[in-house]
Amino acid sequence: MKNAELTLREFALLVADEDTEVGCVSDLKRRHVEHLRQWLLERPAARGGPLHRHTVRDRLSKLRSFFRRLDEWDADDRPPRQLVFDSDFPIADEPLPRFLDDAAAAMLLAAARQDPDPFARLAIEILARTGMRRSEMPGLTIDAVVQIVRPTGSVSRSERCTPTATFPCIPQLKTLLDDWLLHRPEGRGRTCSPTTAAR
């Protein structure tokens, strides 16, 4: 909602500066949308450079949705025709695949195992075999991996627990992890961050 409000406020201010004869929404013309589109394409982003095409698409989409809602609600104060066309939207980037198929995953693991950096090999194995998100891995600490314990008796003060293997299904990962912890670079802290491990 905040994004939609920002888009409509920017559009209203742009129209007010350009055309003092516009007194209501029904006075809007195609040229006002064209001006907004050009302004968005030329407007600098906060990080420098032009706005990303996805941002421009999002802003124009919000404006088109606003006009469509006015039509659906049969509002009196609405433009006589649609003002935002499909051709106004910048061409979007091709979306990245959301997952790897079996063949691509096998190629990734094979390539990782040939990497001379032991941390790179470990990182790829952890991400590929645990389902952990990339953003979660930099926060892992050395003591983040613990043995899983499974109760074998009744739940009481005398409850007995039997430790199980840490990685019973993926012994290669346990071997890589043990090797990394044993031979990790001197001075490494308790956080095992990929951004610093490669240095």
Side-chain angles (χ1 to χ4, degrees), residues 40-57:
L40 289 171
L41 291 173
E42 296 174 354
R43 173 187 168 183
R47 299 178 182 176
L51 287 179
H52 194 280
R53 285 175 292 173
H54 291 174
T55 302
V56 176
R57 287 180 63 88

Side-chain angles (χ1 to χ4, degrees), residues 75-95:
D76 293 333
D77 185 18
R78 67 181 191 273
R81 65 186 183 93
Q82 186 56 245
L83 300 179
V84 183
F85 305 147
D86 289 341
S87 58
D88 292 327
F89 295 86
I91 299 175
D93 296 331
E94 287 292 329

Side-chain angles (χ1 to χ4, degrees), residues 5 21 27 30 40 49 69 83 95 103 113 118-119 121 124 132 135 153 156 164 166 173 195 197:
E5 179 184 5
E21 295 183 359
D27 292 336
R30 170 65 187 167
L40 289 171
R69 296 296 88 78
L83 300 179
R113 288 166 187 160
F119 184 80
R121 298 196 298 270
I124 294 298
M132 184 182 302
S135 59
S156 66
T164 61
T166 308
L173 182 53
T195 58

Side-chain angles (χ1 to χ4, degrees), residues 55-70:
T55 302
V56 176
R57 287 180 63 88
D58 179 71
R59 298 293 176 84
L60 292 174
S61 177
K62 294 291 189 299
L63 184 61
R64 180 164 68 175
S65 295
F66 169 69
F67 290 140
R68 285 180 173 175
R69 296 296 88 78
L70 293 179

Side-chain angles (χ1 to χ4, degrees), residues 28 32 45 52 86 99 103 105 120 138 143 149 156 158:
L28 292 172
H32 298 124
H52 194 280
D86 289 341
F99 62 90
D143 59 356
V149 294
S156 66
S158 61

